[in-house]
Amino acid sequence: MDDHSTDQGGSHNRHVYHCPLRWGDMDALGHVNNGRYVDYLQDARVDFLFRTAKELGADDLETGLLVARHEVQYRAPLVFRPEPVRIELWISEIKAASFVVDYEILDDAPRRTYVEARTRLVPFDFAANRLRRITPIERDALSKLVGS
């Protein structure tokens, strides 16, 4: 089974990442520790950007980004199990010098959402050590990934 895909049918442009749970991610109560969810989101986002940005010709999005903000809404506890958890992510907003990735960490059947989250990313020119604007090529690539 492929661990990653992008559903571009209809109004959904969601990238799907299947994230394995690690025993060390659990807290004393046997739930995934709240701080580990940010790691899961990063794993999914990196997979999304490295695969999709490259496919769409926006290679600078792979490495030239900084996280400006995370918002995480915890919906239900996630306990350890051998099966990976599904993370769906998509672009929800594109501005001149930032964009937002939205996420859901969930199971399909029965549908259960563990976390809803959002990350604002800003393009960064590491050689010049400064923020930069989104290029037209990047805007075009990101626009293809706007979902709901």
Side-chain angles (χ1 to χ4, degrees):
M1 178 174 137
D2 183 54
D3 282 343
H4 335 274
S5 63
T6 301
D7 172 8
Q8 294 184 346
S11 64
H12 290 71
N13 286 337
R14 291 188 174 201
H15 181 76
V16 176
Y17 178 75
H18 296 278
C19 184
L21 303 180
R22 297 169 291 261
W23 182 252
D25 295 344
M26 302 303 130
D27 62 18
L29 300 174
H31 304 124
V32 171
N33 179 284
N34 66 315
R36 292 290 136 233
Y37 285 104
V38 175
D39 292 337
Y40 293 171
L41 300 175
Q42 177 175 284
D43 290 348
R45 186 176 63 252
V46 166
D47 180 73
F48 174 59
L49 291 170
F50 271 68
R51 290 173 169 276
T52 309
K54 187 178 292 282
E55 290 170 10
L56 297 174
D59 293 358
D60 284 347
L61 290 176
E62 292 178 17
T63 56
L65 292 171
L66 295 178
V67 171
R69 179 182 179 100
H70 284 302
E71 297 173 32
V72 181
Q73 181 71 46
Y74 301 97
R75 298 288 182 199
L78 177 58
V79 297
F80 184 78
R81 83 270 183 108
E83 303 82 29
V85 69
R86 180 181 179 95
I87 303 177
E88 295 183 4
L89 59 151
W90 62 97
I91 305 296
S92 63
E93 178 183 287
I94 305 169
K95 293 192 171 188
S98 70
F99 65 97
V100 174
V101 178
D102 281 0
Y103 317 79
E104 284 185 299
I105 299 177
L106 56 104
D107 283 325
D108 281 331
R111 185 163 179 92
R112 182 168 192 175
T113 300
Y114 301 104
V115 165
E116 293 172 338
R118 165 174 279 198
T119 301
R120 180 167 300 280
L121 297 159
V122 294
F124 194 81
D125 182 339
F126 285 97
N129 197 32
R130 65 175 177 79
L131 297 174
R132 65 175 182 79
R133 296 176 78 75
I134 293 174
T135 68
I137 291 171
E138 291 167 341
R139 178 174 296 282
D140 183 56
L142 291 170
S143 294
K144 292 175 182 159
L145 304 169
V146 172
S148 59

